[in-house]
Amino acid sequence: MDDFIIIGGGIAGISAAARLSEHGTCRVLEREAHLAYHSSGRSAALYEENYGSPSTIALAKAGRADWDDFLDGVLSPRGFMLLCLRGEEAQFDADRRHMDLTEISMAEAHERVPILNPQEVLRAACSSTAQDIDTDMMLQRFAKLLRRNGGVIETHQSVQAIQKIAGGWQVSCQEQTFTARRLINAAGAWGDEIAALAGLAPIGLTPMRRSVARLAAPGGHDPSTWPMLFGPGERWYAKADAGALIVSLAEETPSPPMDAWPGDQDLAEALARYQNYVTEEVTRPISSWAGLRTFAPDRNLVLGAAPQEESFIWAVGQGGYGFFTAPAASQLVAASALGRKPQLTAEIVAQLSPARFVA
């Protein structure tokens, strides 16, 4: 019997497993052929401490020491720029205040991003603290720690049944059965399904599809040094990616748990909104894809022991914030599994606890 079974090989599961591997035997069960196949492998991957809900921001700030030490080299400078067309001023000002952005002149904005349309874009505000996340490097850093501590990663393991047994849990996959004292549910969009298999009440997770188009570098420019671009209210975004530009509507379309594919209408609308802000004509996308961002009903992460069964630990509901919350979120999950006092404040722990969904 292992000490811990972690269901899900995305960043939430691998980071939690790495933490727990320092305290006992760990086994990660991933349904796909490799790690980070679904949401973690399709992330826009931006780190910004002032982005998200209060509990998300608290997690981002609490993980700062890891970014500077264990995850050194994973972050690189990016920055982001919030843009404003006529009629968007109120939302622009609200976003600027919420994210503590600095407004800059349009001349400076155009110098940073030369394709901005000076006839249409009226205002711009920037963050210099936002950074790119090398998601593969981050995932592998945690996976290496896990393996160094004797942890095991099992791929092609689709969970079929879960049973509570004396002293722990029995998890049955297609051809193998595993047992452990503690079970960590890091199954992302499938989190409620895993809970149901274990005989626990679902939380009410909602997977949301987000579609992304990849464009050739506009007008022959090199976008590698451009900040990430946002429309007010996050109605679209664009970000440099390996010499090209990815553009998204930032939509949230409810979806069943699945290998998501992009919506043609969403891609078209994203490119149309982006086109309003720039001078270069949008070309046919090089490629497109979609990912699922899974939210709890209150849109906070769900981290901690199930109130009905302390040996079942939730690590779900990342909602697109999985990578930049992972350092602190994995510490909280490990503390819950080990029965230790979390490093976060009691207020933040309560906002993240699955106990908040119990009537």
Side-chain angles (χ1 to χ4, degrees), residues 41-86:
R42 310 176 197 194
S43 170
L46 190 75
Y47 174 84
E48 169 53 59
E49 285 188 352
N50 295 312
Y51 187 56
S53 68
S55 65
T56 300
I57 291 171
L59 286 169
K61 292 182 176 180
R64 186 68 251 183
D66 267 325
W67 293 110
D68 294 335
D69 184 13
F70 173 63
L71 296 173
D72 180 47
V74 170
L75 298 180
S76 58
R78 171 60 57 193
F80 72 82
M81 185 183 295
L82 179 69
L83 302 172
C84 177
L85 302 180
R86 193 177 309 279

Side-chain angles (χ1 to χ4, degrees), residues 61 69 88 111 117 180 189-190 257:
K61 292 182 176 180
D69 184 13
E88 296 179 333
E111 183 178 350
N117 189 336
W190 289 264

Side-chain angles (χ1 to χ4, degrees), residues 109-315:
H110 193 267
E111 183 178 350
R112 296 188 189 186
V113 184
I115 65 169
L116 294 181
N117 189 336
Q119 306 303 317
E120 301 294 337
V121 181
L122 304 181
R123 298 169 67 187
C126 282
S127 163
S128 59
T129 60
Q131 299 182 75
D132 273 343
I133 303 172
D134 186 327
T135 55
D136 183 64
M137 182 189 294
M138 182 175 177
L139 189 81
Q140 295 307 324
R141 196 77 59 88
F142 278 114
K144 184 177 180 180
L145 175 60
L146 170 63
R147 292 187 174 106
R148 189 168 69 230
N149 290 332
V152 177
I153 298 173
E154 306 263 7
T155 56
H156 295 291
Q157 298 294 343
S158 177
V159 175
Q160 307 295 310
I162 301 174
Q163 182 179 354
K164 189 74 175 70
I165 60 174
W169 297 90
Q170 177 177 287
V171 180
S172 300
C173 299
Q174 306 97 309
E175 299 178 356
Q176 292 180 272
T177 297
F178 308 93
T179 58
R181 294 176 177 81
R182 295 283 188 274
L183 186 63
I184 289 78
N185 176 11
W190 289 264
D192 273 347
E193 293 185 6
I194 292 299
L197 288 176
L200 299 179
I203 281 172
L205 297 172
T206 303
M208 301 280 198
R209 188 190 71 210
R210 175 164 292 185
S211 304
V212 180
R214 183 180 175 86
L215 303 177
H221 293 278
D222 176 9
S224 61
T225 61
W226 295 355
M228 189 170 182
L229 306 176
F230 283 92
E234 199 177 343
R235 296 182 65 247
W236 65 274
Y237 66 77
K239 181 174 181 285
D241 182 70
L245 204 65
I246 59 174
V247 180
S248 175
L249 187 63
E251 83 277 13
E252 296 179 353
T253 305
S255 167
M258 63 185 298
D259 187 359
W261 63 85
D264 291 341
Q265 186 173 345
D266 294 328
L267 293 175
E269 181 63 24
L271 296 178
R273 291 184 185 180
Y274 160 76
Q275 180 72 85
N276 290 333
Y277 293 76
V278 301
T279 54
E280 297 295 332
E281 289 296 322
V282 170
T283 58
R284 184 179 181 84
I286 300 170
S287 60
S288 62
W289 65 90
L292 297 181
R293 304 162 77 250
T294 301
F295 292 91
D298 62 3
R299 300 179 77 84
N300 289 308
L301 279 72
V302 185
L303 308 173
Q308 315 96 310
E309 175 52 63
E310 66 176 11
S311 64
F312 184 97
I313 315 298
W314 290 88

